[in-house]
Amino acid sequence: MDSGGTKFTFKWWIEEHYYCLHDNGERLTSPEFTAKGLEGTTWTVDLYLRGRHDDDKGYISIFLSRSGEDGGPESIPLTFELSILDLGKSPFSSGELVANFEKGQAHGCPRLVEWETALILFDDDDEENRNNVLISFDDDEKIFSPPTLSVLCRMWKSEGINRRVEQVCAITRIGVENFLILHEVENFSSLEPNQKNSIHFSSNSKVGCVLCSLHLTDDGEIMVEIVPSNSNHILCILVIALLSASGDILESIEYENLSFALRQDIRKRPLKRTLTRRSILDAQNFLVDDTLRLVYRCFFSTGVEFEEILGTRHGMAVATQNQVCSNSHTERSYKASAERLRACPSVSEDLKSFYSRQRLTDVELKTKTKSFSAHTAVLCARSPVFETMMSSDMEEKSKKCLKVDDLEDDTVQQLLLFLYWDRLEYLEWDNVVKLYYAAVKYEIEKLKLICESFLADNLSTSNAGELLLLADTRNDADLKQFVEDFILENEEQVFRSDEWEKLMGTNLQLGMKAMLLRYNRK
């Protein structure tokens, strides 16, 4: 087959494109594809949602880019067309363009369409649906997802008749994480101007730690600041709700970073101008025991989460290909299936819901002060220690009761949520230390590794002695060595701290061994 007789089509689906917050000059690049019918050249499509250069701000730029290292000829002349589809309106197309592509070169359309024209995604019904999701503050609500964006690239050599078509499909998914964070500001009436009241929210996710701060301006205006620990993760939607004593939403304020041609910084936002400290103090239902209760719903864009070439169609006749492509039912079925799949809860979400509803429980975990209902199958599947206890001729099996009186109530509650949900919330040093103890005792390896990682990430000169003792008592050689290395790197601050003096008073042998490491390792 002559190379001039092949038309190449590349279709690229971008899921959650609404949360792609690339700034002017930042590109979203498709998975790399090879056009065998075009002399083995390798390509990508580059999408600049906020313009390729300063002159293109406010526009979507789209380019076809050739790899600088493919095995094709030094240059190849092509006719090509770039289009954006599935925005609820007619496609936006560059029209047919002609260019001579040398290795490493890109050609395309710097101003395909104005950003605001293309990405107005919601009609009135959709916008109402989206707002209901954002302000509902219901854990069971799903993140609102607009239609998947489709990018289409057609390319062919100018000469000859294109009798065959080659098609590749690819997918890219933008990551988005959704958090609900409760912030209780105690002694609100005595909060001084510019005095920050802050909380840390930690989660087992890409976003990780989030710092939430509230302070008053000199004029009594209330400012809220939300900052993720990873600067590459961008706050794209922030909803702030003020709660009454009964937990009802009294006020809800939304800020977003999605409907602007230029990326905005919404991390630091004021409440409504009417919601000053004075207005809140004068109201009857905003404060409970001088405590202001706010809930933040935060949507973070975490960048490209997944990308893959889905499949290739090679050697199909153009007439057949046109017939297949004109059958929009196939594409609608694919997208409808993807949307239905995204709407389905995961196994862990179903199990968490099952646990929360306390249906069909058949075993009790008892602390000194409280009893927790659970399911034998889940406990045994997640912990070999629980499995042994419930499958052998032990008292626990006959009584369907597991004594965990060496654990605190909060620790058991978080442990059970992890066993069902596979995630942790509200990580703080003290509760993670207790969860680490439980993870080791019941041989829950994933929980142990998560706790180890958190403790290692938050290791300091003031808590090094505590973590060293914990690692030693639980025979965790890897964690112990990590702490010892940290101590040697910061020996002066560690050995002079009050916390180290306490360790020497309670476990002199362990403290002396750690101090001798500096000599033993020379």
Side-chain angles (χ1 to χ4, degrees):
M1 182 180 67
D2 132 52
S3 61
T6 299
K7 176 178 284 190
F8 188 90
T9 301
F10 174 68
K11 190 157 190 180
W12 177 27
W13 287 290
I14 307 171
E15 293 185 345
E16 308 293 3
H17 69 281
Y18 194 57
Y19 299 96
C20 180
L21 295 184
H22 286 56
D23 213 341
N24 176 254
E26 297 176 350
R27 65 183 175 183
L28 180 64
T29 300
S30 74
E32 193 173 69
F33 57 92
T34 299
K36 295 180 181 178
L38 298 177
E39 303 185 49
T41 48
T42 303
W43 307 81
T44 58
V45 173
D46 297 332
L47 193 62
Y48 299 82
L49 287 172
R50 288 171 168 81
R52 189 186 193 193
H53 298 301
D54 287 345
D55 293 343
D56 307 322
K57 286 180 180 178
Y59 290 85
I60 295 176
S61 306
I62 187 167
F63 286 81
L64 176 62
S65 178
R66 184 183 172 190
S67 169
E69 300 177 355
D70 65 31
E74 287 302 316
S75 64
I76 181 171
L78 289 182
T79 303
F80 65 102
E81 180 180 10
L82 298 164
S83 306
I84 292 181
L85 315 174
D86 297 340
L87 288 172
K89 47 192 71 155
S90 300
F92 301 102
S93 173
S94 65
E96 290 189 6
L97 303 173
V98 179
N100 190 52
F101 284 85
E102 297 182 2
K103 291 186 177 182
Q105 278 193 335
H107 297 280
C109 186
R111 296 189 175 192
L112 179 70
V113 63
E114 287 188 87
W115 191 91
E116 291 183 352
T117 300
L119 295 184
I120 295 175
L121 298 173
F122 308 104
D123 58 29
D124 293 339
D125 292 338
D126 286 337
E127 184 67 30
E128 181 179 356
N129 176 35
R130 171 178 175 274
N131 288 338
N132 287 339
V133 170
L134 290 178
I135 67 174
S136 68
F137 293 92
D138 185 343
D139 277 330
D140 293 331
E141 290 284 359
K142 305 302 176 188
I143 297 174
F144 182 75
S145 298
T148 297
L149 178 69
S150 293
V151 176
L152 182 65
C153 171
R154 294 189 178 96
M155 46 201 291
W156 62 95
K157 295 190 74 171
S158 302
E159 69 273 11
I161 300 174
N162 298 305
R163 295 187 177 87
R164 298 282 176 181
V165 71
E166 196 174 299
Q167 183 179 37
V168 168
C169 298
I171 188 169
T172 294
R173 183 182 303 122
I174 305 300
V176 54
E177 293 195 12
N178 169 25
F179 295 97
L180 280 173
I181 303 172
L182 174 65
H183 188 179
E184 295 183 322
V185 184
E186 299 177 350
N187 303 315
F188 178 74
S189 61
S190 58
L191 191 66
E192 296 292 334
N194 301 311
Q195 174 190 345
K196 285 193 174 182
N197 183 291
S198 302
I199 61 167
H200 285 83
F201 173 82
S202 298
S203 70
N204 179 31
S205 70
K206 289 183 180 180
V207 171
C209 184
V210 179
L211 174 65
C212 307
S213 298
L214 179 144
H215 73 272
L216 303 172
T217 67
D218 292 331
D219 298 329
E221 191 175 20
I222 301 173
M223 301 291 295
V224 170
E225 187 171 8
I226 309 289
V227 182
S229 56
N230 190 328
S231 59
N232 293 323
H233 299 156
I234 303 166
L235 182 61
C236 49
I237 300 177
L238 169 62
V239 184
I240 306 172
L242 279 73
L243 303 184
S244 69
S246 61
D248 296 327
I249 297 175
L250 299 173
E251 294 281 353
S252 180
I253 310 104
E254 178 191 345
Y255 305 96
E256 68 168 303
N257 193 13
L258 302 170
S259 301
F260 302 96
L262 298 178
R263 191 167 75 199
Q264 308 291 306
D265 186 353
I266 65 168
R267 293 178 301 173
K268 190 173 183 179
R269 297 283 101 185
L271 298 188
K272 292 180 180 178
R273 291 190 176 276
T274 54
L275 292 175
T276 61
R277 176 163 68 171
R278 175 45 51 197
S279 67
I280 288 176
L281 292 176
D282 290 343
Q284 298 297 315
N285 54 351
F286 276 108
L287 299 179
V288 182
D289 297 328
D290 200 21
T291 298
L292 179 66
R293 302 175 68 214
L294 303 97
V295 174
Y296 309 128
R297 185 159 199 177
C298 309
F299 292 75
F300 290 95
S301 173
T302 59
V304 175
E305 178 181 71
F306 171 82
E307 57 181 359
E308 184 179 43
I309 296 291
L310 293 176
T312 302
R313 296 173 185 165
H314 177 68
M316 189 180 294
V318 170
T320 305
Q321 174 67 29
N322 289 341
Q323 184 178 355
V324 171
C325 289
S326 66
N327 183 359
S328 59
H329 172 73
T330 302
E331 293 183 7
R332 284 200 305 271
S333 297
Y334 166 77
K335 287 184 289 183
S337 175
E339 288 165 7
R340 287 197 298 269
L341 282 171
R342 286 199 303 273
C344 293
S346 65
V347 173
S348 61
E349 288 171 332
D350 278 338
L351 285 174
K352 181 193 176 189
S353 175
F354 194 56
Y355 171 71
S356 299
R357 290 184 285 124
Q358 291 288 284
R359 297 293 303 276
L360 305 175
T361 56
D362 60 355
V363 66
E364 299 286 325
L365 277 73
K366 284 193 174 182
T367 66
K368 291 179 180 178
T369 58
K370 193 172 180 180
S371 181
F372 297 84
S373 299
H375 301 85
T376 301
V378 174
L379 299 185
C380 294
R382 301 286 276 162
S383 164
V385 175
F386 284 144
E387 183 180 13
T388 299
M389 295 169 72
M390 298 303 295
S391 58
S392 61
D393 293 329
M394 298 176 67
E395 181 183 359
E396 288 84 359
K397 179 181 178 181
S398 59
K399 292 187 176 181
K400 291 287 185 177
C401 177
L402 302 175
K403 291 183 179 180
V404 288
D405 48 14
D406 55 339
L407 302 181
E408 296 180 2
D409 294 348
D410 289 344
T411 304
V412 175
Q413 178 67 34
Q414 290 191 68
L415 174 65
L416 285 171
L417 278 175
F418 179 82
L419 294 180
Y420 282 85
W421 196 24
D422 211 36
R423 287 176 57 183
L424 291 175
E425 288 187 330
Y426 311 116
L427 297 186
E428 295 179 351
W429 181 271
D430 289 341
N431 73 311
V432 173
V433 167
K434 296 168 186 174
L435 279 169
Y436 171 83
Y437 169 84
V440 174
K441 178 177 179 180
Y442 295 106
E443 297 180 15
I444 307 167
E445 183 65 18
K446 184 174 181 179
L447 178 59
K448 174 177 172 286
L449 292 174
I450 291 171
C451 293
E452 278 182 356
S453 178
F454 177 88
L455 295 171
D457 288 345
N458 291 274
L459 181 59
S460 68
T461 55
S462 61
N463 60 33
E466 179 187 1
L467 191 54
L468 178 66
L469 179 59
L470 180 66
D472 182 68
T473 56
R474 306 317 298 174
N475 297 315
D476 191 331
D478 291 337
L479 182 59
K480 184 177 180 181
Q481 183 171 344
F482 181 87
V483 180
E484 288 174 344
D485 291 342
F486 175 86
I487 290 173
L488 291 182
E489 292 172 5
N490 303 273
E491 58 183 71
E492 185 173 349
Q493 299 97 311
V494 172
F495 295 153
R496 289 185 177 181
S497 67
D498 294 338
E499 290 75 10
W500 189 260
E501 185 177 345
K502 293 177 183 177
L503 175 68
M504 296 293 285
T506 57
N507 199 315
L508 179 62
Q509 185 177 10
L510 178 64
M512 291 301 296
K513 284 182 178 179
M515 298 180 79
L516 288 172
L517 284 173
R518 60 178 298 184
Y519 304 105
N520 295 335
R521 291 191 182 181
K522 283 185 178 180

